[in-house]
Amino acid sequence: MTSVARSVTRTDYQRSVADYWNAEKDPVNLRLGDVDGLYHHHYGIGDYDPAVLDGRGKRRDDAIIAEMHRLETAQADVLLHHLGDPSPADRLLDAGCGRGGTSVMAHRRFACQVDGISISEQQVEFANEQARKHGIDGAVRFHLRNMLDTGFESGDFAGIWNNESTMYVDLHDLFAEHARQLRPGGRYVTITGCYNDLTGGRSRAVSQIDQHYICNIHARSDYFKALADNGFVPITVVDLTAETIPYWELREKSPVATGIEKPFLTAYREGSFHYLLIAADRV
Ligand code: GPP
Ligand code: MG
């Protein structure tokens, strides 16, 4: 398995990231996905229903998990909303697709072809199996590919997104590849965690998040520089920080907490870190 992943990874760093995701089977992702077959690798937004904390035992656990899943699905809905209005004949690219939840939602919403890519063979296999289970494998396909060098034809895509996957790559390299693949006028959307230029470099909490996921969180300013340098013009920027804090508060009380909840809450509350949506057009 790892040997196949090695064919799309270029560096030791990328191989360590692929190894991490090939081995990942955390209930915080699998139990939530089991709720309705949408497996996400991103966080949630919106207020939670405090009543989910009232029950006891398994009922309480199940209610919290379903509520966390609802907030994660709400996050993907917001991302897709900013992709505009692709037609069923269009193709969309999910760069860093994880287990494929956002791609499945995109197909349901726009009825178009979706390609998802990951450097983790396990994630690609899992996501393709889900597409088969949902009966949409003719339109939603997952591939073992590197988002910095996808091999797709130039200008093939009407829309591309990264749902919390940009912190694994150099943004200039990433947006150069996205600019190549998007047709002129194509839309790019990302939801990401970025550190705050105003508070200086990475705070301790941001460094703890980097260490936990083996990623390199970028500064807020890096996104806008790299987008502008590659022919992207931002159309919408939404600070989702206040909206994601309830998710982390619920997650901290949940039976599937992983230990990374405190650094996220600290970083968001102290203002060293933002949860940001950026939508940009490729000119
Ligand atoms: C993982 O989601 C997301 C990342 C590794 C990107 C880091 C995101 C930032 C905003 C910095 P996941 O659903 O696999 O994580 P977990 O297992 O903690 O739920
Ligand atoms: Mg998760």
Side-chain angles (χ1 to χ4, degrees), residues 20-21 24 26 28-29 40-43 72 164-165 167-168 192-193 209 212-213 215 217 247-248 251 258 260 264 268 273 275:
Y20 174 99
W21 291 108
E24 189 274 338
D26 201 298
V28 76
N29 299 314
H40 298 310
H41 282 283
H42 58 257
Y43 312 122
E72 292 188 2
E164 292 184 19
S165 48
M167 54 291 293
Y168 288 106
T192 189
I209 297 168
H212 182 86
Y213 294 106
C215 66
I217 290 166
Y247 165 84
W248 287 101
R251 181 166 156 155
T258 63
I260 199 59
F264 270 92
Y268 286 140
F273 187 54
Y275 198 46

Side-chain angles (χ1 to χ4, degrees), residues 34-170:
D34 289 344
V35 168
D36 63 1
L38 289 174
Y39 290 86
H40 298 310
H41 282 283
H42 58 257
Y43 312 122
I45 54 171
D47 289 334
Y48 66 84
D49 177 358
V52 299
L53 297 168
D54 291 345
R56 296 185 69 171
K58 184 177 179 313
R59 259 181 76 175
R60 180 180 192 266
D61 291 355
D62 289 350
I64 294 173
I65 281 165
E67 188 65 352
M68 286 172 61
H69 184 62
R70 185 181 69 78
L71 302 183
E72 292 188 2
T73 296
Q75 186 267 26
D77 266 327
V78 167
L79 186 153
L80 295 174
H81 170 77
H82 286 88
L83 272 179
D85 197 16
S87 74
D90 284 332
R91 283 179 73 187
L92 300 175
L93 177 64
D94 181 352
C97 60
R99 287 187 168 92
T102 308
S103 288
V104 173
M105 289 174 62
H107 175 71
R108 287 181 181 165
R109 187 178 185 116
F110 304 120
C112 55
Q113 304 271 320
V114 184
D115 292 283
I117 58 174
S118 167
I119 59 171
S120 158
E121 192 190 46
Q122 276 302 309
Q123 288 191 329
V124 169
E125 205 175 282
F126 188 102
N128 276 324
E129 177 60 23
Q130 291 309 309
R132 276 191 290 278
K133 282 189 183 159
H134 290 297
I136 57 174
D137 50 315
V140 179
R141 298 180 191 86
F142 298 96
H143 317 268
L144 187 69
R145 297 196 189 196
N146 189 318
M147 67 171 103
L148 300 180
D149 179 16
T150 66
F152 289 117
E153 295 288 311
S154 297
D156 261 7
F157 292 97
I160 300 180
W161 72 85
N162 286 98
N163 199 350
E164 292 184 19
S165 48
T166 51
M167 54 291 293
Y168 288 106
V169 293
D170 177 274

Side-chain angles (χ1 to χ4, degrees), residues 163-220:
N163 199 350
E164 292 184 19
S165 48
T166 51
M167 54 291 293
Y168 288 106
V169 293
D170 177 274
L171 292 179
H172 280 84
D173 293 349
L174 178 70
F175 296 153
E177 181 67 342
H178 285 353
R180 183 188 70 75
Q181 299 170 97
L182 269 181
R183 67 183 187 209
R187 174 60 59 85
Y188 172 66
V189 182
T190 185
I191 295 183
T192 189
C194 55
Y195 74 80
N196 186 359
D197 300 88
L198 293 180
T199 53
R202 283 175 180 72
S203 64
R204 183 173 187 196
V206 166
S207 297
Q208 286 167 336
I209 297 168
D210 271 347
Q211 194 185 4
H212 182 86
Y213 294 106
I214 334 174
C215 66
N216 294 291
I217 290 166
H218 304 291
R220 175 158 44 116

Side-chain angles (χ1 to χ4, degrees), residues 221-243:
S221 59
D222 290 341
Y223 283 88
F224 298 95
K225 279 187 211 132
L227 285 168
D229 288 350
N230 287 286
F232 285 97
V233 180
I235 177 84
T236 309
V237 179
V238 187
D239 180 2
L240 295 168
T241 307
E243 287 184 62

